Amino acid sequence: MTARTLGASAPPARRARAIRLGPRSVAALALVSAVGVAGFGWPFLAPPTSQVNAHAQDAPWLFAGLLVLLVAVVAATISESGLGPKAVAMVGVLAASGAALRPIGAGTAGLEPMFFLMVLSGRVLGPGFGFVLGSVTMFASALLTGGVGPWMPFQMLAMGWFTLGAGLLPGPDRLRGHGEVAMLACYGFLAAFAYGTVMNMAGWPFMNSLASGIAFDAHAAVPRNLARFVAYCLATSMGWDMGRAVVTVVLTVALGPAVLRALRRATRRAAFETPVTFEGPGEGTAG
């Protein structure tokens, strides 16, 4: 058989997954995501007469504590289903890089360069790796910047979703070049606004309804609170979200091809799906 025949019959290269999600991992992700949706969106899910609204100032703290436990459960479940030493090392390197990038633009019009790295990493390494990486990166950056508070579990979950979504984008084995970069730039732009919006939902109920006409009102109907929330986003975070989205697009277009190649090269060399074996003394030598 000739080399030409081999090349013609060879199937497309399959993307190696650092973490392959099993049924338990998917179930754990679904559980934490459902609780996260409730934790972010409870002001729009609970009617004015609900007991949750009667504890509007306590609810974010309760959801934050619950999310910490659930994110830990998800990480443990994914680890049990195949987070090997090579994947752990890759998570550590990328999480440290993302945490180091975040303070570069902190406090300056939402300029957060870490987002583009999360998009590219999730794209190359898959949704399971992406969720773990996003959560761990946000946790590490919070410790690095002193941003530890009740908002941190919400940030970890939102970043986990953000990076997981990049791993679910279509055409991972065939789409390459300018088309892939354009798709990732569009995803990063939209996801940057989505991240800002869900984080607004986490902090918005803390505002005193008597202090502003755009604060959460536990006694108001859902449509009125929705209008207040939209006004709150436009007034407080639109500029930050736009800065984050533009920086993500610019860095993805400018550095995306090189970073994607580097990540794919590192993934191939790591050979995540090849089991690690240890040889005893003398087993690796002949005679």
Side-chain angles (χ1 to χ4, degrees):
M1 185 177 292
T2 64
R4 177 175 298 180
T5 305
L6 285 171
S9 61
R14 183 171 60 90
R15 178 172 66 169
R17 294 291 181 91
I19 300 174
R20 289 198 172 272
L21 296 178
R24 285 185 299 176
S25 302
V26 172
L29 274 172
L31 174 63
V32 74
S33 295
V35 175
V37 169
F40 282 113
W42 66 266
F44 306 118
L45 301 175
T49 56
S50 172
Q51 289 299 314
V52 176
N53 284 327
H55 298 277
Q57 295 301 313
D58 302 330
W61 293 89
L62 296 176
F63 280 117
L66 184 58
L67 283 175
V68 170
L69 298 177
L70 287 176
V71 170
V73 168
V74 171
T77 304
I78 292 177
S79 175
E80 183 182 357
S81 65
L83 187 62
K86 299 176 184 178
V88 170
M90 184 71 81
V91 168
V93 171
L94 292 175
S97 301
L101 284 174
R102 192 181 181 199
I104 293 177
T108 309
L111 305 181
E112 296 177 279
M114 69 174 286
F115 276 76
F116 101 98
L117 180 60
M118 298 297 102
V119 172
L120 302 183
S121 299
R123 170 65 174 175
V124 173
L125 292 156
F129 185 95
F131 183 85
V132 174
L133 175 63
S135 301
V136 171
T137 301
M138 192 55 70
F139 177 76
S141 66
L143 296 180
L144 182 64
T145 60
V148 178
W151 55 85
M152 187 183 71
F154 293 98
Q155 289 178 322
M156 292 172 62
L157 181 59
M159 185 58 71
W161 284 341
F162 180 95
T163 316
L164 180 149
L168 295 174
L169 292 173
D173 300 322
R174 294 177 176 83
L175 184 61
R176 293 288 190 271
H178 296 300
E180 182 181 35
V181 171
M183 180 184 67
L184 294 176
C186 291
Y187 173 80
F189 184 86
L190 296 175
F193 277 99
Y195 175 86
T197 301
V198 297
M199 286 310 303
N200 284 340
M201 293 175 70
W204 178 54
F206 277 114
M207 294 184 65
N208 188 343
S209 60
L210 300 178
S212 171
I214 61 175
F216 171 66
D217 186 354
H219 304 290
V222 171
R224 184 175 179 182
N225 269 326
L226 183 58
R228 283 170 171 255
F229 177 70
V230 171
Y232 172 80
C233 291
L234 293 175
T236 61
S237 67
M238 179 58 70
W240 285 82
D241 295 341
M242 180 61 74
R244 181 189 302 115
V246 170
V247 168
T248 300
V249 169
V250 170
L251 292 179
T252 300
V253 172
L255 304 178
V259 175
L260 287 171
R261 285 195 300 271
L263 287 172
R264 285 176 173 136
R265 188 183 305 115
T267 301
R268 288 193 301 269
R269 291 181 177 179
F272 291 113
E273 296 177 351
T274 301
V276 179
T277 59
F278 298 92
E279 297 180 348
E283 292 182 10
T285 59

